[in-house]
């Protein structure tokens, strides 16, 4: 059983508490820290916490607490993690790990040096569809992965601090791109080094200092490409989609906006439909079990089992650090309009990979380009002559 101290009583802290109390049935949020007394009291009453405080260290150090869950604004993550290190408390942190790669690296190194458990709460890498897709990719169903694309767009986050560039560290790239980058890393291979990023970003709609829309390409050492599309300007709800393309297959995932569950209502019922939904009338697209479909249940189960068994979770502080480093390169590229290198002073994956050759032998004289059956029933191949480079087609 894990006894959790929740740091933060807002939207994400409540989502986390719903999952923690519901998944394994024995884990509890026992303490809550919030910056305002009324928020701490309200959360404690609603979730049955035995202790609440507006003093973060007091909550972390409480003797009943076995694990700390950081659900705070981005600018407070590092201070919270350092207090967990000080008091030797296992810690799991919401995404992004830091506002930049330097912050994330300091947090990662601090927990590792102290021997403290650290888990990165990247919920979208724990959704049922993602877990099934990754299993298929790991089993070779798609062959060699060439391209992994992830999209998250919606009308913007719930809390005011997200819109403050200093508190958040950035805009939609940091808020949403962290999900998309880690999804692509999982499919391409987390031991494959990201080498450079090309990014476009702009503030198109919102009166803020940070970007509200961005698109980027992340080039990996083995030649694979990761792509993310993120926006706080999308209208119509929350759009979560992933695509993976390999030499032997393709996966398409629509995780949230179109789930096969469609409802029409005049709006006389309840107000809440789904996260980031913009309306409660007309045709609506609810989600059957939001906490589960967004990955929270599988995520916390992985975290709790890992800390109890002394193993690493699927998503670690190291992963959060790599994601932050890629985001740093994206922000730099958005300014320079150039491919920018990913700076990774600590890298634990493969080194010196090169793109795989595209040459596939057909026989001693030809490379195979394509094999197909045409509409008129012919079975043919398109070939490239190894000596002359001439491209021919041949009926079989």
């Amino acid at each position: 059983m894990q006894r959790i101290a929740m740091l933060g009583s807002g939207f994400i802290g409540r989502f986390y508490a719903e999952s923690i109390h519901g998944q394994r049935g024995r884990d509890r949020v026992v303490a809550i820290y919030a910056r305002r007394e009324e928020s701490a009291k309200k959360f404690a009453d609603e979730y049955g916490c035995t202790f609440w405080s507006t003093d973060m260290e007091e909550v972390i150090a409480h003797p009943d607490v076995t694990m700390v869950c950081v659900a705070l604004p981005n600018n407070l993550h590092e201070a919270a993690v350092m207090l967990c290190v000080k008091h030797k408390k296992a810690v799991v942190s919401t995404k992004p790990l830091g506002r930049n790669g330097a912050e994330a690296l300091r947090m990662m190194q601090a927990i590792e040096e102290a021997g403290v458990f650290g888990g990165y709460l990247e919920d979208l890498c724990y959704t049922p569809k993602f877990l099934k897709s990754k299993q298929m990719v790991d089993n070779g169903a798609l062959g060699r992965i060439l391209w992994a694309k992830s999209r998250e767009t919606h009308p913007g986050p719930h809390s005011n601090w997200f819109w403050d560039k200093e508190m958040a560290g950035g805009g939609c790239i940091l808020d949403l791109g962290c999900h998309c980058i880690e999804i692509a890393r999982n499919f391409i291979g987390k031991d494959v080094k990201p080498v450079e990023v090309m990014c476009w970003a702009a503030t198109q709609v919102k009166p803020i200092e940070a970007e509200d829309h961005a698109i980027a390409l992340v080039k990996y050492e083995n030649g694979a490409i990761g792509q993310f599309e993120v926006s706080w300007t999308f209208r119509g709800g929350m759009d979560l989609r992933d695509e993976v393309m390999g030499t032997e297959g393709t996966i398409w995932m629509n995780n949230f906006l179109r789930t096969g569950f469609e409802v029409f209502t005049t709006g006389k019922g309840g107000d809440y439909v789904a996260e980031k939904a913009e309306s409660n009338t007309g045709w609506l697209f609810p989600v059957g079990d939001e906490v589960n479909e967004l990955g929270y249940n599988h995520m916390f189960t992985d975290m709790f089992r890992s800390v109890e068994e002394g193993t690493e979770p699927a998503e670690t502080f190291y992963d959060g650090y790599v994601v932050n480093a890629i985001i740093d390169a994206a922000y730099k590229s958005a300014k320079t309009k150039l491919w920018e290198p990913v700076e990774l002073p600590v890298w634990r994956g493969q080194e010196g990979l090169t793109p795989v050759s595209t040459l596939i032998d057909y026989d001693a004289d030809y490379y195979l380009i394509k094999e197909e059956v045409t509409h008129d029933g012919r079975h043919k191949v398109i070939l490239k002559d190894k000596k002359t480079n001439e491209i021919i087609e041949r009926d079989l």
Side-chain angles (χ1 to χ4, degrees):
M1 173 182 177
Q2 293 302 316
R3 299 184 299 278
I4 313 297
M6 186 67 68
L7 307 184
S9 62
F11 179 83
I12 193 63
R14 289 171 174 274
F15 250 133
Y16 287 167
E18 296 288 341
S19 177
I20 291 167
H21 287 181
Q23 175 67 343
R24 298 200 308 175
R26 61 181 184 269
D27 310 294
R28 304 300 299 174
V29 178
V30 298
I32 174 66
Y33 158 77
R35 288 166 291 171
R36 295 185 300 135
E37 183 174 305
E38 58 270 32
S39 298
K41 285 182 177 179
K42 188 174 188 296
F43 189 102
D45 288 342
E46 291 180 3
Y47 292 97
C49 301
T50 56
F51 181 76
W52 64 266
S53 177
T54 57
D55 183 321
M56 188 191 301
E57 184 167 7
E58 189 178 17
V59 171
I60 291 170
H62 195 281
D64 288 347
V65 169
T66 62
M67 178 182 280
V68 176
C69 182
V70 180
L72 294 167
N74 299 343
N75 62 316
L76 300 177
H77 289 191
E78 186 173 9
V81 168
M82 294 309 176
L83 285 173
C84 292
V85 168
K86 176 182 176 181
H87 293 282
K88 302 290 185 181
K89 294 293 177 79
V91 56
V92 292
S93 176
T94 192
K95 60 78 197 172
L97 183 57
R99 289 177 293 179
N100 51 59
E103 278 188 1
L105 181 59
R106 288 195 296 269
M107 285 184 265
M108 180 194 83
Q109 290 175 329
I111 66 159
E112 291 181 350
E113 290 169 5
V116 168
F117 176 91
Y120 180 49
L121 299 181
E122 180 41 82
D123 58 287
L124 295 188
C125 289
Y126 289 95
T127 70
K129 289 178 183 176
F130 174 86
L131 293 174
K132 180 66 174 180
S133 298
K134 185 173 185 302
Q135 182 183 48
M136 296 179 71
V137 168
D138 291 346
N139 289 340
L142 270 63
R144 176 167 52 90
I145 301 304
L146 307 172
W147 174 52
K149 172 185 172 183
S150 184
R151 169 186 173 92
E152 180 170 2
T153 62
H154 57 60
H158 301 285
S159 301
N160 60 328
W161 66 264
F162 282 95
W163 304 92
D164 184 313
K165 188 175 180 180
E166 177 59 28
M167 292 181 72
C172 62
I173 294 177
L174 199 62
D175 179 35
L176 309 180
C178 58
H179 288 304
C180 301
I181 289 167
E182 188 63 357
I183 287 168
R185 282 188 70 228
N186 271 274
F187 287 128
I188 291 169
K190 290 204 284 188
D191 62 340
V192 180
K193 192 173 187 179
V195 291
E196 54 183 350
V197 180
M198 171 64 78
C199 180
W200 167 87
T203 309
Q204 293 189 312
V205 176
K206 310 295 185 181
I208 58 173
E209 298 300 317
E211 76 290 345
D212 61 16
H213 195 176
I215 302 169
L217 297 174
V218 182
K219 189 184 297 181
Y220 287 79
E221 197 174 46
N222 67 349
I225 285 287
Q227 179 178 342
F228 68 75
E229 303 172 359
V230 293
S231 180
W232 284 346
T233 67
F234 176 80
R235 304 308 301 268
M238 183 159 67
D239 186 12
L240 300 178
R241 280 182 278 167
D242 304 319
E243 299 179 29
V244 193
M245 183 180 75
T247 56
E248 303 299 327
T250 301
I251 292 174
W252 293 342
M253 282 180 281
N254 195 326
N255 295 299
F256 209 80
L257 194 59
R258 287 291 187 274
T259 62
F261 186 0
E262 301 181 10
V263 175
F264 179 86
T265 176
T266 60
K268 292 184 178 179
D271 292 333
Y272 185 82
V273 177
E275 184 183 348
K276 307 296 193 306
E278 291 199 276
S279 174
N280 66 341
T281 63
W283 280 105
L284 307 175
F285 310 99
V287 178
D289 184 344
E290 207 165 341
V291 170
N292 191 61
E293 290 302 314
L294 287 172
Y296 297 123
N297 289 345
H298 293 291
M299 178 178 71
F300 280 111
T301 297
D302 180 42
M303 295 297 162
F304 297 157
R305 285 178 179 169
S306 296
V307 75
E308 289 163 5
E309 295 172 3
T311 59
E312 279 198 343
E315 296 293 325
T316 67
F317 270 34
Y318 173 75
D319 294 311
Y321 146 72
V322 174
V323 169
N324 268 125
I326 294 171
I327 289 172
D328 286 352
Y331 277 121
K332 189 173 181 181
S333 174
K335 291 180 179 179
T336 66
K337 314 301 181 187
L338 301 170
W339 283 96
E340 291 291 347
V342 179
E343 302 293 341
L344 285 167
V346 177
W347 172 248
R348 295 169 180 169
Q350 300 182 69
E351 296 276 6
L353 295 178
T354 56
V356 176
S357 172
T358 60
L359 302 177
I360 302 170
D361 285 326
Y362 180 72
D363 57 24
D365 300 317
Y366 293 97
Y367 295 117
L368 175 66
I369 294 177
K370 185 182 181 185
E371 185 173 0
E372 66 180 351
V373 177
T374 64
H375 72 284
D376 55 358
R378 288 183 301 134
H379 187 185
K380 74 173 189 177
V381 290
I382 300 176
L383 307 171
K384 179 179 179 180
D385 190 295
K386 291 182 178 180
K387 293 180 180 178
T388 67
N389 291 329
E390 180 186 7
I391 295 176
I392 67 167
E393 58 181 78
R394 179 186 297 169
D395 286 340
L396 299 180

